[in-house]
Amino acid sequence: MPDFLVLIRDTLRRGIRLPPAGWVLAAILAFYVLAGLFGRDPWKGEDAIHIGAAWHMLNFGDWLSPDLAGRPFHEPPLYYWSAALTGMLFGSWLPLHEAMRLASGIWVALALMGLYYAGRELYGEDHAAASPLLLAGSAGLLFHAHDAQPMLIALAAYSGALGGLAAIGRKPRLTGIFYGLAIAACLLGTGIAPTLPLLAIAPIAWWLSPDRPKALHTLLIGFAIAAVLTLPWPLLLLNLEPARFHGWLATELAPLNTPFSVVGGGRFIAMLPWFAFPAFPLAIWTLRLRRREIKAPAQLLPLVFLVLTLLLLAWAFRPRQIPALLLLPPLALLATPGALALRRGAANAFDWFAMSTFSLCIGIVWLGWSAMVLGWPEQMAKRALVLRPSFVGHFDLLALIIGLAATAWWVWLIITAPRSHYRSLTHWTLGCTTLWLLATTLILPWFDFNKSYRPVAQAIAQALPPDHGCLAERALNDTQLASLSYFVGIEPVAEESKAGQACNWLLVVGDTRRELAAPNSKWTKVWEGNRPGDRKETFRLYRH
């Protein structure tokens, strides 16, 4: 028997080695990063908005500043640069929106790598794999890691900065480079407010360093690198397009002019038990377990960074899931010692909970697929139609093969995983990933049916004549504008603008007669429709 077949046979019998390291850990994290990036349209919300802005940058070649459906989009450019670049590189092999969404996978991969090095520096080689597994296993990240989302750049910057600052006493030169790159990426990717904790942690890192003069020199190098990489873009924007620069600056400063909200901070904390599970309870366990070592760098660095981030969120952000992503890197790092120091009973209970929960959920996904494609169970099939009226399921052989392979992988993992303090954490993270892969493969058409504006955009384009000229819009949000621009190349102007007043076509959206009414009796309704299954959002197209 050839050697590689022997290796495969032995691996199938033995299972993956724990703790995962090297190519095994890389494969696990790559599986997490890639699951859910493909096979779907831009979904309503953030995904469609940011894909639309990246598409406009790529399609029209305006790389200086992002636009959304032909209008200035006052956001930092780094995510759109990266998404446009991945679209350019992989757009010939993939649908363009999937190629651009690969940028999110790259930023998530960088976040996992940064946290791996942070865990290795603070807690040692045996603990290193736990930090990225905890980040990947956080329930909140799973819902956003596979969308087009600029906040993923801040996630990577926070993880990279923690990885660099954790090594400030051992590798000061590398720390300066990592820290500078993290600040620059955060500023160019997500703006001023999310960058503030990265700046505020510098005095703490200096104070915790065993060689403070060298640490000061290291941090100054980091600031210099950040300045060199960051300043050219706003200076160029100010010089070439001053109106856009001032619009961007006003947008950046607006959150910092809001009052500090204790209630908002409390809501972010209240979100953590589910959003950051299992990192949140394990971080509390770590603090209790190591309460006598709380001043040691391994505990104090992530703890202070977590507090600084929470203070920023209470000051500059409304309690939402997307800014809460910033809490995950320090929480995952803080939870690392506790995750591997659970008592046997707690570790077994966590392992049993992970295996049973995800096995049950995987079974439910298969039932959903059966209801969608085969019409059984009948009650579930009827319920699916209630939630998505007029949806019709279709058999997809590739989706079935991927689903069977993922399910077999999960069963093999449960059967073969050896006893280890990593076992429960590995089961949790891979269970999350397997479930997400199955959901975005087997029942993806059901989700896509209600989350994509493609059918509406195509219907509007068909209702308009080829030479329709100017089209005005009333009350369309950023998602709808981005979808019209991306799917059919239509970029309407605002009704109240000077250009909009001269248009002979008007597109409105709403859910009441008043919102959907024509401006006056001279307008004639040409078309009316909505997204499949959406009864609260109606589009009407009028002609003057």
Side-chain angles (χ1 to χ4, degrees), residues 168-243:
I168 195 170
R170 197 169 68 87
K171 297 179 179 178
R173 189 173 299 176
L174 196 62
T175 293
I177 295 173
F178 274 35
Y179 186 57
L181 290 174
I183 294 174
C186 203
L187 273 170
L188 289 174
T190 54
I192 295 173
T195 310
L196 294 179
L198 289 176
L199 302 177
I201 196 63
I204 305 300
W206 167 80
W207 183 69
L208 290 174
S209 174
D211 189 341
R212 289 176 183 171
K214 187 177 289 187
L216 179 61
H217 183 255
T218 294
L219 294 172
L220 291 176
I221 290 175
F223 290 135
I225 292 173
V228 168
L229 293 176
T230 304
L231 288 177
W233 176 73
L235 292 177
L236 195 61
L237 188 64
L238 176 61
N239 184 54
L240 298 178
E241 300 185 41

Side-chain angles (χ1 to χ4, degrees), residues 40-52 101 146-148:
R40 59 184 174 93
D41 273 344
W43 280 354
K44 66 176 183 177
E46 299 278 334
D47 194 44
I49 291 171
H50 301 303
I51 285 176
R101 202 185 280 127
H146 305 100
D147 282 348

Side-chain angles (χ1 to χ4, degrees), residues 39 369 372-373 393-403 441-442 445:
W369 174 84
M372 183 181 75
V373 176
H394 297 283
F395 178 79
D396 187 326
L397 180 60
L398 179 60
L400 178 62
I401 292 172
I402 293 174
T441 302
L442 293 177

Side-chain angles (χ1 to χ4, degrees), residues 1-8:
M1 183 180 294
D3 291 343
F4 75 93
L5 290 179
V6 173
L7 179 62
I8 293 174

Side-chain angles (χ1 to χ4, degrees), residues 278-289:
F280 180 65
L282 290 172
I284 296 175
W285 171 244
T286 298
L287 292 176
R288 180 181 177 184
L289 194 67

Side-chain angles (χ1 to χ4, degrees), residues 366-387 446:
W366 275 107
L367 280 176
W369 174 84
S370 176
M372 183 181 75
V373 176
L374 306 177
W376 182 89
E378 187 175 345
Q379 289 301 318
M380 184 177 284
K382 291 179 179 178
R383 183 60 182 168
L385 282 176
V386 169
L387 296 174
W446 187 80

Side-chain angles (χ1 to χ4, degrees), residues 452-461 484 527 529-532 537 539:
S452 172
Y453 278 97
R454 184 190 292 271
V456 169
Q458 291 174 341
I460 292 169
L484 278 173
W527 171 86
N530 50 24
R531 281 184 302 117
E537 186 182 79
F539 293 82

Side-chain angles (χ1 to χ4, degrees), residues 61-294:
D62 186 3
W63 294 81
L64 182 59
S65 180
D67 281 338
L68 184 67
R71 307 177 188 188
F73 192 47
H74 298 306
E75 295 289 332
L78 182 56
Y79 183 83
Y80 309 104
W81 288 343
S82 62
L85 184 61
T86 58
M88 185 187 303
L89 293 175
F90 302 105
S92 57
W93 291 286
L94 296 168
L96 188 56
H97 54 272
E98 294 181 10
M100 292 189 292
R101 202 185 280 127
L102 272 175
S104 292
I106 292 171
W107 291 112
V108 172
L110 290 173
L112 296 171
M113 289 171 57
L115 217 58
Y116 171 84
Y117 287 110
R120 189 178 70 177
E121 288 294 331
L122 291 178
Y123 308 119
E125 190 72 41
D126 289 342
H127 289 67
S131 301
L133 289 175
L134 281 163
L135 179 60
S138 296
L141 180 59
L142 189 65
F143 294 113
H144 302 286
H146 305 100
D147 282 348
Q149 178 49 256
M151 196 61 79
L152 298 175
I153 295 180
L155 195 79
Y158 279 29
S159 299
L162 286 168
L165 295 174
I168 195 170
R170 197 169 68 87
K171 297 179 179 178
R173 189 173 299 176
L174 196 62
T175 293
I177 295 173
F178 274 35
Y179 186 57
L181 290 174
I183 294 174
C186 203
L187 273 170
L188 289 174
T190 54
I192 295 173
T195 310
L196 294 179
L198 289 176
L199 302 177
I201 196 63
I204 305 300
W206 167 80
W207 183 69
L208 290 174
S209 174
D211 189 341
R212 289 176 183 171
K214 187 177 289 187
L216 179 61
H217 183 255
T218 294
L219 294 172
L220 291 176
I221 290 175
F223 290 135
I225 292 173
V228 168
L229 293 176
T230 304
L231 288 177
W233 176 73
L235 292 177
L236 195 61
L237 188 64
L238 176 61
N239 184 54
L240 298 178
E241 300 185 41
R244 286 201 180 211
F245 171 82
H246 292 296
W248 165 78
L249 187 61
T251 303
E252 289 295 320
L253 295 179
L256 304 181
N257 292 325
T258 58
F260 181 85
S261 174
V262 176
V263 174
R267 288 177 179 172
F268 275 112
I269 295 174
M271 196 186 299
L272 292 179
W274 75 266
F275 190 82
F277 188 87
F280 180 65
L282 290 172
I284 296 175
W285 171 244
T286 298
L287 292 176
R288 180 181 177 184
L289 194 67
R290 298 196 171 190
R291 57 186 179 274
R292 296 181 182 177
E293 307 169 25
I294 195 65

